[in-house]
């Protein structure tokens, strides 16, 4: 599902993927993606990913700071 976290909304600079361990792999399961501007990257890593292991890449498209995609428990949208 898509929602919004924070109240920034400026153009995102980074895309932070949040993973949880699965089958012995630290990045086994992609569970959440959040986008952040440069100012909120640290906040996003610490707070918005809610403890998932972060992986940072460049933001693409028209994503805005605070956009968050949460993946379902059965792994849809992989
Ligand atoms: Zn921001």
């Amino acid at each position: 599902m898509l929602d919004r976290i924070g109240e920034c909304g400026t153009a995102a600079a980074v895309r932070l993927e949040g993973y949880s361990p699965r089958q012995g792999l630290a990045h086994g399961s992609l569970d959440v993606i959040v986008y952040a501007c440069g100012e909120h990257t640290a906040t996003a890593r610490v707070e918005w990913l809610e403890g998932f292991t972060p992986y940072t890449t460049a933001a693409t498209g028209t994503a805005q700071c605070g956009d968050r995609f949460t993946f379902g428990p059965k792994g849809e949208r992989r």
Side-chain angles (χ1 to χ4, degrees):
M1 66 176 275
L2 168 64
D3 65 359
R4 169 63 63 83
I5 191 167
E7 297 180 349
C8 180
T10 59
V14 296
R15 162 186 159 122
L16 294 158
E17 300 178 343
Y19 290 85
S20 59
R22 179 168 294 177
Q23 297 175 342
L25 300 172
H27 295 79
S29 173
L30 176 58
D31 292 330
V32 60
I33 295 172
V34 295
Y35 290 89
C37 68
E39 186 179 341
H40 289 110
T41 300
T43 301
R45 282 178 71 99
V46 174
E47 297 180 12
W48 297 351
L49 285 180
E50 298 177 340
F52 290 113
T53 302
Y55 180 78
T56 306
T57 61
T60 56
T62 58
Q64 295 177 331
C65 180
D67 284 353
R68 178 170 61 179
F69 298 87
T70 307
F71 297 91
K74 293 190 184 338
E76 63 265 29
R77 295 188 57 195
R78 289 280 162 78

